[in-house]
């Protein structure tokens, strides 16, 4: 473009950044070790959790963590969730969101840098890439070089290992939805009836390979909503990976800096070696300040520290620091650290409150649940003798791993007759309903008055379901409708 | 961004627009020039792929109408065949419990919680498809269409009775075993005079919900005994063998107000229900029987 007028700059600025490949360099240090640890732990949990056993009795599955869609159950160690208790999942999601907020208020996007699956698997993929193709310089040389046999061999080896990891990742995912050893056996021996599992393994193999192998930082920069939200949730007290420009500037070579200092002139610690940029998995220059691309993984800190050590300068020219401290240093004040703030305390209290509430309800929830559904069409039926009949569908949920028997009684309408379809009353007129271990059973209950009808309109009634052995009663309210 | 269209009719006019810095195509109308801003490559490719996809689709699947039907597509795919195969898959899935329903006697189905639940589920769907148009979504009936939730059963409310009614229907001429009952048209055929009909109506309405009519008369009672009691019983209790509904109760299929009762006596006859044997398989009919029986508990 040849135009040089003032509008030129606007036009020349690309709306979409030109594609560039990032070749992060290997780095070693404090934060890299933390990252290794978390990566190892999270991957180990993901890959091996489905194989952990948890005995629950003869009729229940013995897998510690299992999402049992066919039987509508979710098992998590000692917790068993029924479909009507799915609000526990809502609670977990709220806690997860608040934890993310709390992490952010304390130390910025450390979720992104250490725990996010995108980061963990991308790091895993980069490690294998480095193992096969070598470090950054070798990879750049390989990619820019001609297609030699060596290059073809390395590329095939890399993608083969990547797909292998992706396949294993997708494979483990389906193990959370069925008995893991059985499913592994079925999949391995090509048994029929597991087509759905193959499909999901295929989908997840593809997404893992594409996301961790090809998209990497592009997911963080363009697809993930969290950096946008995060910017609105952070404040000047949150720890962020920060370049101390007060110490680093003006940049110059180590030699020039020594000379300048000898003459009493200002010289920064930053020698502009570019190592912080070279190791960054998202290709960010942290010296430009806090930015969207930074996932706070701290690898630039390790890189910078190793350089500072070699130069015998103090470390943490780049470090976890707060915006507040940058400002304070500028004014000559001592840095402060304030993890306890209204924001963090508020999040922590909310997390504890919701978590506590969930634990209490989990610990005290009933092992028996009764649901009543009044017939809607018709609401009430007129009988031959002038009486009125209402129909109800009762659903009994027996959450214990034993078969239980319940007696049913209905109170509220004097003289009304109770009938349970398919369950004849015993000699005393008592109706007993047997519900299988860890199962639900529906019963159709008909409540009829005879002769003189009950008061017009709605009469409140109470269904009482009593455990025949323990005598523990569950009451459910409904109404009897007289037209 | 820098490529220019080749068919510019006046190449001399192609230049860079000062404001945007974008090349123009050379097209100009009344001083308004067209900027050359080509579509993004990915967009063009996406468009091309969708065109190819669309063409391939019309070759693979039935697509183009012809004078007598349409193209069949190279795969000869039919939605009807797909539905048939999906239904077959469903039968395989439901097979075990459906087989149990098929083999078990009706009262055993109702006594077994698992079979009762399955039969009610299957029956409910079959009811919604085949029965709800007359008997209502919940079997609540309507004027002239029996309510299946009450305790009044014209043709009997035991499991076997209900099954027989579903299988053979009511006044369904195509079925030899259908329920037949014929109430004479007392008015139309001139068997009774209008005054006599009014008297009979007053008599049978005495047990109705709101006896708002004239007091029953001895004449009405006598006319009832002579003309109605043979089918509906001396005490008006009805007779399921003949399909004669009970009259001395509060369930009125055609309404209990006097004009409705008079209309029945004048016109006679009764409603028709299709026979479902042959249209529905035996398992579905059994499931329907159990479902209907469970609605109001049957007899």
């Amino acid at each position: 473009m040849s135009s040089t007028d003032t509008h030129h700059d606007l036009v020349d600025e690309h709306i979409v950044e030109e594609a560039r490949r990032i070749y992060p360099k290997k780095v070693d240090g404090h934060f890299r070790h933390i990252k290794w640890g978390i990566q190892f732990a999270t991957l180990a949990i993901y890959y091996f959790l489905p194989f952990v056993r948890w005995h629950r009795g003869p009729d229940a599955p013995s897998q510690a963590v299992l999402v049992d869609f066919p039987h509508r159950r979710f098992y998590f160690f000692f917790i068993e969730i029924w479909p009507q208790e799915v609000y526990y999942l809502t609670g977990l999601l709220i806690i997860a969101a608040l934890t993310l907020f709390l992490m952010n208020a304390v130390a910025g996007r450390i979720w992104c840098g250490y725990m996010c699956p995108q980061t963990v698997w991308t790091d895993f993929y980069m490690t294998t890439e480095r193992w096969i193709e070598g470090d950054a310089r070798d990879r750049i040389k390989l990619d820019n070089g001609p297609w030699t046999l060596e290059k073809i061999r390395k590329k095939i080896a890399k993608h083969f290992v990547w797909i292998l990891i992706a396949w294993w990742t997708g494979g483990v995912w389906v193990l959370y939805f069925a008995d893991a050893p059985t499913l592994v056996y079925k999949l391995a021996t090509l048994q029929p009836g597991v087509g759905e599992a193959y499909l999901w393994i295929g989908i997840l193999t593809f997404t893992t390979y594409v996301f961790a192998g090809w998209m990497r930082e592009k997911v963080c920069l363009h697809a993930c909503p969290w950096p946008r939200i995060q910017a609105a949730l952070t404040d000047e007290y949150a720890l962020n990976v920060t370049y101390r420009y007060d110490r680093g500037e003006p940049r110059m070579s180590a030699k020039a800096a020594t000379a300048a200092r000898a003459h009493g002139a200002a010289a920064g610690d930053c020698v502009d070696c570019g190592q912080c940029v070279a190791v960054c998995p998202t290709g960010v220059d942290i010296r430009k300040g806090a930015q969207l691309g930074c996932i706070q993984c701290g690898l630039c800190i390790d890189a910078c520290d190793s350089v500072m050590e070699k130069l015998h300068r103090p470390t943490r020219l780049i470090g976890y620091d707060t915006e507040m401290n940058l400002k304070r240093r500028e004014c000559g004040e001592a840095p402060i650290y304030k993890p306890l703030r209204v924001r963090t305390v508020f999040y922590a209290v909310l997390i504890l409150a919701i978590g506590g509430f969930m634990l209490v309800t989990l610990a005290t929830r009933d092992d028996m649940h009764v649901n009543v559904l009044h017939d809607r069409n018709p609401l009430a039926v007129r009988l031959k003798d002038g009486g009125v009949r209402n129909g109800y569908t009762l659903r009994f949920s027996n959450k214990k791993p034993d078969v239980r028997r319940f007696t049913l009684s209905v109170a509220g309408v004097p003289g009304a007759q109770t009938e349970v379809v398919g369950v004849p009353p015993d000699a005393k007129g008592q109706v007993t309903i047997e519900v299988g271990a860890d199962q639900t059973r529906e019963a159709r209950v008909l409540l009829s008055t005879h002769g003189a009808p009950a008061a017009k309109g709605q009469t409140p009634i109470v269904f009482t379901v009593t455990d025949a052995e323990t005598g523990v009663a569950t009451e459910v309210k409904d109404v009897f409708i007289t037209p | 961004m820098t490529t220019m269209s080749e068919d510019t009719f006046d190449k001399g006019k192609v230049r860079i627009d000062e404001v945007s810095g974008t090349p123009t195509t050379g097209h100009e109308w009344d001083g308004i020039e067209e900027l050359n801003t080509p579509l993004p490559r990915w967009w063009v490719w996406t468009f091309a792929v969708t065109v190819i996809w669309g063409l391939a689709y019309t070759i693979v699947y039935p697509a183009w109408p012809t004078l007598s039907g349409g193209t069949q597509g190279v795969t000869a795919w039919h939605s009807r065949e797909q539905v048939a195969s999906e239904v077959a898959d469903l039968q395989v899935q439901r097979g075990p419990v459906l087989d149990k329903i098929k083999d078990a006697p009706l009262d055993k189905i109702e006594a077994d919680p698992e079979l009762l639940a399955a039969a009610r589920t299957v029956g409910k769907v079959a009811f919604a498809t085949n029965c709800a148009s007359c008997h209502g979504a919940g079997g609540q009936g309507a004027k002239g269409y029996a309510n299946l939730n009450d305790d009044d059963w014209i043709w009997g409310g035991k499991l076997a009775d209900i099954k027989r009614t579903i299988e053979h229907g009511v006044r369904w001429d195509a079925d030899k075993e259908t329920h037949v009952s014929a109430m004479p048209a007392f008015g139309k055929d001139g068997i009774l005079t209008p005054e006599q009909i009014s008297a009979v109506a007053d008599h049978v309405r005495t047990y109705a919900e709101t006896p708002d009519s004239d007091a029953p008369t001895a004449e009405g009672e006598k006319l009832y005994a002579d003309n109605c009691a043979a089918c509906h019983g001396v005490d008006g209790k009805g007779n399921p063998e003949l399909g004669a509904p009970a009259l001395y109760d509060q369930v009125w299929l055609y309404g209990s107000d006097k004009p409705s009762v008079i209309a029945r006596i004048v016109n006679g006859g009764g409603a028709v229900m299709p026979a479902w044997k042959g249209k529905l398989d035996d398992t579905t009919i059994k499931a329907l029987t159990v479902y209907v029986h469970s609605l109001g508990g049957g007899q």
Side-chain angles (χ1 to χ4, degrees):
Chain A
M1 230 151 281
S2 55
S3 173
T4 51
D5 62 37
T6 47
H7 300 286
H8 179 80
D9 290 341
L10 285 174
V11 173
D12 210 30
E13 218 167 272
H14 293 284
I15 293 168
V16 177
E17 197 185 11
E18 266 181 50
R20 72 188 166 117
R21 288 185 83 167
I22 293 163
Y23 296 89
K25 216 178 117 179
K26 195 179 164 192
V27 64
D28 198 28
H30 182 63
F31 294 102
R32 181 65 253 189
H33 291 155
I34 296 175
K35 218 164 139 70
W36 282 133
I38 292 173
Q39 189 180 355
F40 186 79
T42 48
L43 286 176
I45 290 170
Y46 176 77
Y47 286 122
F48 295 108
L49 195 56
F51 296 100
V52 177
R53 304 272 94 188
W54 191 270
H55 189 66
R56 292 190 183 85
D59 297 323
S62 306
Q63 188 159 317
V65 180
L66 179 67
V67 184
D68 191 353
F69 275 126
H71 302 102
R72 315 278 194 283
R73 298 282 187 282
F74 171 60
Y75 300 95
F76 187 83
F77 294 95
F78 60 95
I79 300 168
E80 179 184 332
I81 303 284
W82 283 49
Q84 56 268 51
E85 297 164 333
V86 79
Y87 45 76
Y88 283 115
L89 184 68
T90 316
L92 271 183
L93 290 175
I94 293 171
I95 289 180
L98 288 171
T99 309
L100 200 56
F101 296 168
L102 179 63
M103 282 162 87
N104 180 51
V106 173
R109 276 166 66 185
I110 45 164
W111 162 262
C112 300
Y114 295 89
M115 275 161 275
C116 174
Q118 176 67 23
T119 289
V120 170
W121 263 278
T122 299
D123 210 32
F124 192 13
Y125 266 47
M126 282 181 182
T127 311
T128 58
E129 187 176 59
R130 207 166 277 141
W131 172 56
I132 293 164
E133 292 186 355
D135 205 7
R137 245 144 66 99
D138 302 325
R139 291 207 304 277
I140 294 170
K141 222 165 93 184
L142 190 71
D143 281 356
N144 293 338
W147 280 95
T148 59
L149 264 179
E150 169 81 354
K151 181 169 173 177
I152 292 167
R153 186 189 66 76
K154 280 184 172 170
K155 290 288 171 191
I156 288 176
K158 178 177 88 172
H159 289 283
F160 178 74
V161 174
W162 277 4
I163 289 168
L164 217 60
I165 296 170
W167 167 72
W168 191 240
T169 306
V172 171
W173 180 262
V174 300
L175 300 183
Y176 284 91
F177 298 86
D179 186 63
T182 316
L183 185 59
V184 168
Y185 174 76
K186 278 187 179 172
L187 290 169
T189 53
L190 302 171
Q191 307 257 331
V194 287
E196 217 176 328
Y198 284 118
L199 180 71
W200 278 106
I201 293 173
I203 291 171
L204 291 159
T205 303
F206 176 75
T207 48
T208 307
Y209 173 69
V210 168
F211 275 58
W214 292 94
M215 290 183 67
R216 297 187 171 180
E217 80 286 347
K218 290 180 184 67
V219 174
C220 314
L221 297 177
H222 305 301
C224 179
W226 179 230
R228 279 88 186 158
I229 303 165
Q230 188 266 349
L233 285 169
T234 194
D235 62 16
E236 66 271 31
Y237 289 102
L239 282 175
N240 279 309
V241 174
T242 311
Y243 167 65
R244 280 189 58 186
Y245 61 88
D246 59 306
R247 215 191 97 189
E249 305 293 327
R251 298 173 204 173
M252 57 190 75
S253 72
K255 222 178 198 173
T258 318
R261 287 193 195 101
H263 289 93
D269 279 343
C270 179
V271 292
D272 215 359
C273 63
Q275 288 307 298
C276 52
V277 183
V279 300
C280 180
T282 58
V284 157
D285 185 349
I286 193 63
R287 295 170 300 176
K288 287 181 183 165
Q291 53 204 287
L292 190 133
C294 176
I295 58 167
Q296 312 267 327
C297 64
L299 293 186
C300 52
I301 306 179
D302 286 342
C304 190
D305 278 0
S306 68
V307 172
M308 288 299 117
E309 272 163 21
K310 274 181 210 147
L311 296 172
H312 306 292
R313 303 293 305 171
T315 56
R316 297 297 144 85
L317 175 58
I318 302 171
Y320 280 100
D321 209 342
T322 65
E323 206 186 308
M324 176 53 77
N325 282 349
L326 283 183
K327 285 182 200 154
R328 289 178 69 93
R329 288 202 194 88
E330 210 167 3
C331 307
E333 292 168 57
I336 52 161
Y337 180 50
K338 250 176 76 177
L340 284 179
R341 312 191 300 279
V342 175
R343 192 186 279 261
T344 53
V345 171
F346 177 68
Y347 289 146
V349 166
L350 269 183
I351 291 168
L352 287 176
I354 296 168
F357 179 75
M358 278 171 66
L359 276 180
V360 168
T361 53
L362 256 177
T364 58
R365 67 189 171 150
D366 292 339
D367 53 17
M368 172 65 191
H369 188 82
V370 186
N371 229 351
V372 181
L373 194 68
H374 191 289
D375 275 7
R376 283 189 285 185
N377 202 2
L379 284 167
V381 179
R382 178 53 47 98
L383 298 178
K384 285 205 282 196
D385 62 0
V388 175
R389 174 188 285 162
N390 279 203
Y392 308 84
T393 305
L394 264 68
R395 181 185 275 272
F396 303 88
S397 305
N398 173 18
K399 298 177 188 174
K400 270 193 180 172
D402 319 294
V403 178
R404 288 159 84 193
R405 288 161 65 247
F406 299 95
T407 56
L408 174 73
S409 66
V410 191
V413 184
Q417 191 190 320
T418 310
E419 191 190 338
V420 182
V421 174
V423 186
D426 63 11
K428 281 184 272 176
Q430 188 85 275
V431 179
T432 307
I433 293 155
E434 198 179 88
V435 189
D438 201 44
Q439 279 185 355
T440 60
R441 175 173 172 185
E442 265 187 14
R444 188 160 164 77
V445 178
L446 302 167
L447 193 59
S448 320
T449 60
H450 290 286
K456 271 195 194 293
Q458 296 190 349
T459 311
I461 57 166
V462 179
F463 291 92
T464 308
V465 177
T466 315
D467 188 316
E469 274 93 61
T470 63
V472 177
T474 310
E475 289 191 347
V476 193
K477 287 179 186 147
D478 209 280
V479 290
F480 184 85
I481 295 171
T482 306
Chain B
M1 202 164 166
T2 50
T3 52
M4 263 171 274
S5 80
E6 296 297 323
D7 59 347
T8 310
F9 52 79
D10 186 355
K11 289 209 174 188
K13 276 192 159 182
V14 173
R15 55 182 196 81
I16 306 290
D17 174 59
E18 300 85 27
V19 178
S20 63
T22 310
T24 65
T25 61
H27 299 175
E28 183 259 298
W29 296 269
D30 297 338
I32 299 168
E33 286 175 280
E34 185 185 15
L35 296 185
N36 185 14
T37 49
L39 292 165
R41 194 185 295 272
W42 66 265
W43 196 98
V44 177
W45 275 111
T46 310
F47 178 68
V49 168
T50 53
V51 169
I52 293 164
W53 174 270
L55 285 175
Y57 198 95
T58 62
I59 295 164
V60 172
Y61 287 106
W64 301 108
T66 59
L67 284 176
S68 58
T71 57
Q72 292 303 303
V74 293
T75 55
W77 178 89
H78 286 284
S79 54
R80 195 161 279 281
E81 280 167 24
Q82 185 174 342
V83 170
S85 91
E86 279 168 10
V87 169
D89 287 350
L90 197 66
Q91 296 294 348
V92 171
Q93 262 183 38
R94 288 180 178 171
V97 72
L98 288 181
D99 285 348
K100 276 192 209 164
I101 291 174
K102 194 176 163 191
D103 296 337
L106 287 166
D107 52 341
K108 289 283 186 305
I109 297 176
E110 201 161 79
D112 182 320
E114 188 208 359
L115 291 187
L116 176 63
R120 268 179 57 77
T121 309
V122 173
K124 193 176 183 178
V125 175
F127 190 88
T129 316
N130 302 292
C131 317
S133 48
C134 289
H135 289 287
Q140 77 275 26
K143 191 171 175 176
Y145 301 99
N147 184 342
L148 305 174
N149 291 273
D150 62 18
D151 57 349
D152 192 27
W153 297 89
I154 299 170
W155 300 98
K158 295 191 172 65
L159 281 162
D161 299 331
I162 295 171
K163 182 161 185 266
R164 185 183 132 76
T165 306
I166 295 172
E167 281 182 331
H168 301 293
V170 180
R171 299 180 195 90
W172 191 252
D173 294 340
D175 191 306
K176 282 184 190 132
E177 290 172 64
T178 193
H179 286 307
V180 182
S181 70
M183 173 161 154
F186 289 95
K188 270 192 193 161
D189 293 347
I191 302 168
L192 297 175
T193 66
E195 292 74 28
Q196 287 174 317
I197 289 172
S198 174
V200 173
D202 285 340
H203 176 74
V204 299
R205 288 186 71 241
T206 49
Y207 200 67
E209 206 176 342
T210 48
D212 54 352
S213 59
D214 304 327
T217 56
E219 194 210 353
E221 197 176 342
K222 188 180 177 302
L223 282 164
Y224 178 85
D226 292 347
N227 295 286
C228 317
C231 292
H232 291 286
V234 182
D235 49 4
K237 286 267 159 64
N239 186 350
E241 297 288 313
L242 301 169
L247 302 175
Y248 275 32
D249 66 22
Q250 297 209 4
V251 179
W252 293 79
L253 186 55
Y254 290 91
S256 62
D257 55 306
K258 196 168 173 186
S260 295
V261 177
I262 288 176
R264 294 306 307 148
I265 303 172
V266 168
N267 297 317
V272 171
M273 171 173 151
W276 294 95
K277 194 174 187 164
K279 294 191 193 100
L280 300 175
D281 62 81
D282 194 45
T283 312
T284 309
I285 288 179
K286 281 175 95 171
L288 256 179
T289 304
V290 172
Y291 174 71
V292 169
H293 190 260
S294 75
L295 281 178
Q299 266 177 350

